[in-house]
Amino acid sequence: MSKTKSKEEICQALAENLMAYIDLIAGEQKQEVQGPVLYSTDDLANLLGISRYTARQWVCQGKFGEPIHAGRFLRVSQEALDNYLDENTGPTKKRETKPRRPRAVMTPLGPAERI
């Protein structure tokens, strides 16, 4: 005996399977990323408000510590970025300035002093 399903039963089963698949995909996207957070030079440029070229130079100069090589790309860890920000931010130091020379004051000549 073969039991045939009605269109409603087929649609209901399809909808249940589709919802289960959507829940599965959404669950995969909600998982937290494990491991250290790594920033590219483009990310650093956006975070620090500098050009991409400057960010690349700073990474190569070691301003953020030893860069992490991911293939041919350079990455900087969150810890290295935090250390850089701790060392290079805060109140600015006021520079000592030289005393200024007094400016020459021009006084208008009176009628007797005019030629």
Side-chain angles (χ1 to χ4, degrees):
M1 249 170 106
S2 69
K3 184 177 178 184
T4 59
K5 294 184 178 181
S6 67
K7 287 184 180 181
E8 290 88 21
E9 291 173 334
I10 293 172
C11 288
Q12 181 66 29
L14 182 61
E16 288 173 5
N17 288 334
L18 183 59
M19 291 304 293
Y21 179 71
I22 290 172
D23 290 340
L24 176 69
I25 291 174
E28 290 175 358
Q29 292 175 352
K30 290 180 184 176
Q31 292 177 354
E32 292 185 20
V33 177
Q34 300 295 326
V37 176
L38 300 176
Y39 294 103
S40 67
T41 52
D42 288 347
D43 295 335
L44 290 173
N46 290 333
L47 288 170
L48 300 174
I50 56 177
S51 72
R52 292 175 15 195
Y53 180 74
T54 301
R56 172 115 177 123
Q57 280 185 325
W58 287 5
V59 170
C60 291
Q61 290 171 358
K63 287 193 175 198
F64 302 100
E66 185 65 28
I68 298 167
H69 294 273
R72 65 185 184 107
F73 302 105
L74 295 175
R75 300 286 188 253
V76 173
S77 68
Q78 177 71 50
E79 181 182 352
L81 178 61
D82 290 341
N83 290 339
Y84 173 80
L85 292 175
D86 288 343
E87 293 170 3
N88 294 291
T89 57
T92 57
K93 297 177 184 175
K94 189 171 184 178
R95 293 186 304 167
E96 293 183 29
T97 57
K98 298 178 189 174
R100 297 179 89 174
R101 289 187 314 173
R103 297 178 94 176
V105 179
M106 300 292 285
T107 56
L109 298 175
E113 298 167 337
R114 292 185 188 163
I115 301 177

